[in-house]
Amino acid sequence: MKATYYGTKGKDLKADRLVDKISGTIHPKYRFPHTGSIELTEDTLRLEGWEDLALGEIERVACEYDEAFSRFTVNASDRLGFFGKGEPLVVTHGDRKMYLLIDWNFFTGFTDNRRWCEAIVKKVNGLVAPE
């Protein structure tokens, strides 16, 4: 499984200035410094240009909004992703949360995050899928 992604860490999202937050509603490249191809292999989630995560070390994966990433983070109310299918893929790995947008669509704000979340959950034995 392969696609393109934008990624950042939760602590970086929380530290963004107002100008970053406003420009992030135009395009995620302003708030998500990591970008490239993402690949799910048998035992690794590869994030080109950032890092490789061993699936066994992933503690949690979910598609959800939270205190660091709200529905306004990359989607203004004029994009359909504001209303649904725009949640980030949140990967908890060690003491950090990584936020990913996989195959984000500029016009709709939709992502392929839900499909990726399901695929990662299936690969990781014992990982609880979000409800």
Side-chain angles (χ1 to χ4, degrees):
M1 207 171 164
K2 243 183 162 174
T4 58
Y5 80 95
Y6 293 96
T8 192
K9 293 181 255 176
K11 69 176 187 163
D12 294 337
L13 280 176
K14 290 177 184 178
D16 280 348
R17 300 167 300 158
L18 180 60
V19 68
D20 299 319
K21 292 176 182 180
I22 292 169
S23 57
T25 62
I26 298 167
H27 198 283
K29 68 182 178 184
Y30 297 111
R31 293 192 75 188
F32 288 69
H34 306 284
T35 188
S37 69
I38 182 171
E39 181 179 8
L40 180 60
T41 68
E42 284 303 313
D43 59 354
T44 306
L45 183 62
R46 289 209 158 97
L47 301 166
E48 175 191 50
W50 195 2
E51 67 180 278
D52 294 347
L53 302 175
L55 293 181
E57 295 175 3
I58 293 175
E59 297 168 16
R60 184 171 186 273
V61 63
C63 284
E64 62 189 4
Y65 295 112
D66 63 15
E67 71 284 347
F69 190 112
S70 75
R71 128 177 0 264
F72 295 101
T73 301
V74 294
N75 288 315
S77 60
D78 61 339
R79 283 198 182 106
L80 294 173
F82 177 82
F83 301 103
K85 292 175 79 176
E87 307 92 344
L89 178 64
V90 183
V91 178
T92 304
H93 182 263
D95 63 347
R96 64 194 169 140
K97 283 186 176 180
M98 301 168 81
Y99 293 78
L100 303 173
L101 300 173
I102 301 173
D103 283 343
W104 182 79
N105 182 290
F106 177 82
F107 297 104
T108 64
F110 291 161
T111 67
D112 205 11
N113 289 348
R114 291 179 186 174
R115 186 171 74 88
W116 276 77
C117 184
E118 290 172 12
I120 294 168
V121 167
K122 285 180 184 177
K123 292 248 185 206
V124 179
N125 188 14
L127 190 63
V128 179
E131 296 177 6

